[in-house]
Amino acid sequence: MLIILKRSEGWDIELRKKIKNSLSVKVFLWVFSALTICSMLIYGIVLTVLPKQYQLTSDAQLDTNTEILVSKLQDMHYEDAINEIYNFCIQNNSTAILSDDNGALSFGEIKAEELMVATSSIATTVTFSDSETEYALVVSSSISKTADAILSLMLRFLPAVIAIILLLSFLSAFICSKVIVSPIAKISQISKQMISLDMTWKCDIESKDEIGVLASSLNTMADRLRETMEELTNANNQLIDDVEKFKLLEEQRRNFFAAVSHELKTPLTILKGQIENMILGYGDYQNHEKYLPEALKATEDIEHLVKEIITISKMESMDLQDTLQEVSLKQTTNDIIQAILPLAQDKDIQIQQNISIDMVLSVNPNLWNKALSNIIGNAVRYSPCGENVFISLQSCENGNALVIENTGASIPEADLPHMFTPFYRVDKSRNKATGGSGLGLYIVKTILDLHCMTYCIKNTEQGVAFFLCLN
């Protein structure tokens, strides 16, 4: 018995919890209870009021009809009046007694039990046109019996009425709960998706009521949230890229200054040692005519390096837009070739230009000349004697590309990604006789980045080629 009670309590708690957590069940119970109670109240009111109202109405109607009857009887003969009273009783479902001193005359079927329950009775006097005798007329109606019959009939149908009320209330409550709760349940499901930032849904409720307005507002809000999230995602990705670029730039700056320190330290140490030894007159350093040119050469190397560093610093901080001018690609290339031609002739290198279509570029003339001069100069400088340098204009994905290719040379694949790194040289010995400071291509990179031009260095079948896409 105790187990059954515990199970019953458990089911009761579970049922209450389900009702509490389910809007559909709540709406069903509310509508079902409201409809049932209202219907029962209405039927109870009808059950109470209808018989009484029927009786009152019938009494008033009987009074009116009786007055009309009396007014008619006064103008009739006795014999005609008898028929009129008889017809009146039939039409009004009543009985009448007409009496005088000589006796009484009854109309209608009068039973003892009906006389006992008759509650509506009208007594009056009447005279006829053919006699001066005054008759007493009593009209009675068993209206209360009819009212009781109506009440009894309504009570007899009460179980069927209750069953119909319950059934209709159940169906109405079920339909209302589905119609009202279904869109709300859909919106509730959508709100759960919104919590997880899932904006791929679409609320397809198209009604014009408040729920439809709410669904439309949710769709609008979702679209705006989706756009905002996309913007935030793009902004976040851009921020991550900017942070990565900033870290890379910071690392490049640290490496740059470390390399500058290293590049300046060596020639300064050599220069300082030579000057000190010449001042002190140690050994062979007494021969100033031999070591002073070497000291001058070290000074010139330092000066050249400092000038390149200053040039890079100026380029990074300059406003390029105010210095742009239109220049001819073909003319600029010819001028640079003429300037480098003596170096090429010393190495027996042929420079072949094949620019069939002249292009007009919007560039900073000084920076553009310096970049193009470094590229062509490197092609001549790092080519073996007797090789060729080809300068041509080729079509590329975004337009035209200027290609400077020098034959007979090759760059290790591992070194290609680092060719534009400041102070980077393929020759790890950093011998000044085989190369410069390592800033040439870094200056080229800085200038081309300012002009938003894309570029790269690749090994070809014949040698090494520099590809520059022209805007």
Side-chain angles (χ1 to χ4, degrees):
M1 186 65 178
L2 183 61
I3 295 175
I4 295 175
L5 289 175
K6 287 184 178 179
R7 287 183 178 178
S8 178
E9 291 178 358
W11 291 338
D12 185 54
I13 294 173
E14 185 178 354
L15 181 60
R16 290 181 180 179
K17 185 177 180 181
K18 185 175 181 180
I19 294 174
K20 183 179 179 181
N21 297 334
S22 175
L23 179 62
S24 179
V25 175
K26 289 180 181 178
V27 171
F28 175 83
L29 292 177
W30 291 340
V31 175
F32 178 79
S33 301
L35 290 176
T36 302
I37 293 172
C38 290
S39 300
M40 295 298 293
L41 286 175
I42 292 172
Y43 193 78
I45 292 171
V46 171
L47 193 65
T48 304
V49 173
L50 183 60
K52 294 181 179 180
Q53 188 64 32
Y54 176 79
Q55 183 175 351
L56 293 175
T57 303
S58 298
D59 289 343
Q61 186 65 37
L62 183 62
D63 289 342
T64 302
N65 293 340
T66 301
E67 291 177 0
I68 296 172
L69 175 64
V70 171
S71 63
K72 288 181 178 180
L73 292 177
Q74 292 177 353
D75 297 330
M76 292 182 179
H77 291 82
Y78 178 81
E79 295 298 332
D80 296 333
I82 297 300
N83 293 329
E84 184 66 24
I85 296 172
Y86 182 76
N87 293 331
F88 174 84
C89 291
I90 294 174
Q91 292 174 0
N92 292 275
N93 192 23
S94 60
T95 61
I97 300 175
L98 183 65
S99 62
D100 58 2
D101 295 337
N102 297 322
L105 183 62
S106 299
F107 300 87
E109 296 182 358
I110 301 176
K111 298 178 181 179
E113 59 272 17
E114 291 181 356
L115 291 173
M116 293 177 62
V117 298
T119 59
S120 179
S121 181
I122 301 172
T124 185
T125 60
V126 61
T127 59
F128 304 105
S129 59
D130 59 348
S131 175
E132 295 181 357
T133 304
E134 189 177 68
Y135 291 87
L137 177 63
V138 179
V139 178
S140 302
S141 177
S142 56
I143 297 173
S144 59
K145 183 179 179 181
T146 304
D148 292 340
I150 294 174
L151 179 61
S152 176
L153 184 64
M154 294 181 69
L155 290 174
R156 184 186 302 174
F157 284 101
L158 182 61
V161 171
I162 292 175
I164 294 173
I165 289 174
L166 292 176
L167 178 61
L168 293 178
S169 298
F170 178 86
L171 293 176
S172 300
F174 180 78
I175 294 173
C176 287
S177 64
K178 290 299 180 182
V179 171
I180 296 174
V181 177
S182 178
I184 296 177
K186 185 178 292 185
I187 293 175
S188 176
Q189 183 64 32
I190 287 173
S191 66
K192 293 180 181 179
Q193 292 179 269
M194 292 178 65
I195 293 176
S196 59
L197 299 179
D198 179 10
M199 298 299 171
T200 58
W201 49 267
K202 183 72 174 179
C203 190
D204 55 358
I205 300 173
E206 298 180 355
S207 61
K208 301 298 182 181
D209 54 13
E210 288 81 358
I211 295 178
V213 173
L214 176 60
S216 177
S217 300
L218 283 175
N219 289 332
T220 303
M221 182 179 66
D223 292 337
R224 293 180 180 177
L225 282 176
R226 183 164 53 250
E227 293 174 359
T228 303
M229 288 174 61
E230 290 176 356
E231 292 176 359
L232 289 175
T233 301
N234 295 334
N236 185 56
N237 293 335
Q238 182 63 40
L239 181 61
I240 293 174
D241 293 340
D242 292 341
V243 170
E244 293 297 326
K245 290 179 181 178
F246 179 77
K247 290 181 179 179
L248 181 61
L249 287 174
E250 285 298 313
E251 184 178 359
Q252 290 178 351
R253 289 182 184 277
R254 287 194 298 268
N255 295 337
F256 179 81
F257 285 112
V260 167
S261 301
H262 176 74
E263 290 294 328
L264 288 175
K265 181 180 180 181
T266 301
L268 283 174
T269 302
I270 294 173
L271 179 62
K272 179 182 178 182
Q274 289 176 341
I275 294 175
E276 285 181 348
N277 289 332
M278 283 189 289
I279 292 173
L280 296 175
Y282 287 138
D284 194 32
Y285 284 96
Q286 296 179 6
N287 186 358
H288 293 176
E289 294 181 356
K290 175 182 178 182
Y291 287 100
L292 279 176
E294 294 181 2
L296 178 61
K297 178 63 171 59
T299 305
E300 290 175 347
D301 291 341
I302 295 173
E303 180 186 20
H304 178 71
L305 180 60
V306 170
K307 285 182 178 180
E308 288 187 335
I309 294 172
I310 293 173
T311 300
I312 294 172
S313 178
K314 288 181 178 180
M315 286 190 299
E316 289 179 344
S317 60
M318 74 180 300
D319 185 4
L320 185 67
Q321 296 298 323
D322 297 335
T323 63
L324 295 179
Q325 297 179 19
E326 292 185 351
V327 300
S328 169
L329 174 63
K330 194 170 186 178
Q331 182 62 44
T332 304
T333 306
N334 289 333
D335 294 341
I336 293 173
I337 290 174
Q338 292 300 320
I340 298 177
L341 194 58
L343 176 61
Q345 291 175 346
D346 290 342
K347 299 182 67 175
D348 192 22
I349 293 176
Q350 298 292 325
I351 301 178
Q352 300 181 23
Q353 179 192 19
N354 184 20
I355 301 177
S356 57
I357 302 175
D358 193 11
M359 292 184 63
V360 177
L361 306 177
S362 180
V363 295
N364 179 295
N366 294 330
L367 296 182
W368 174 249
N369 289 343
K370 186 172 184 62
L372 203 54
S373 177
N374 281 359
I375 297 171
I376 298 175
N378 282 346
V380 173
R381 190 173 296 110
Y382 293 104
S383 293
C385 296
E387 296 294 336
N388 297 299
V389 174
F390 300 100
I391 303 173
S392 61
L393 192 64
Q394 301 177 8
S395 60
C396 65
E397 182 179 355
N398 297 325
N400 295 311
L402 182 65
V403 181
I404 297 99
E405 182 180 13
N406 56 308
T407 62
S410 179
I411 299 175
E413 293 295 329
D415 292 321
L416 283 175
H418 308 287
M419 293 305 297
F420 297 99
T421 303
F423 299 106
Y424 186 84
R425 288 181 57 185
V426 177
D427 180 14
K428 302 300 185 291
S429 67
R430 306 192 67 81
N431 187 350
K432 295 296 183 181
T434 60
S437 63
L439 287 177
L441 286 179
Y442 182 70
I443 292 174
V444 170
K445 173 185 181 301
T446 305
I447 294 172
L448 297 181
D449 286 342
L450 284 173
H451 288 81
C452 298
M453 295 183 179
T454 56
Y455 51 88
C456 66
I457 297 178
K458 296 181 180 179
N459 288 319
T460 63
E461 294 180 358
Q462 299 181 16
V464 178
F466 191 102
F467 294 87
L468 171 59
C469 291
L470 302 174
N471 296 333

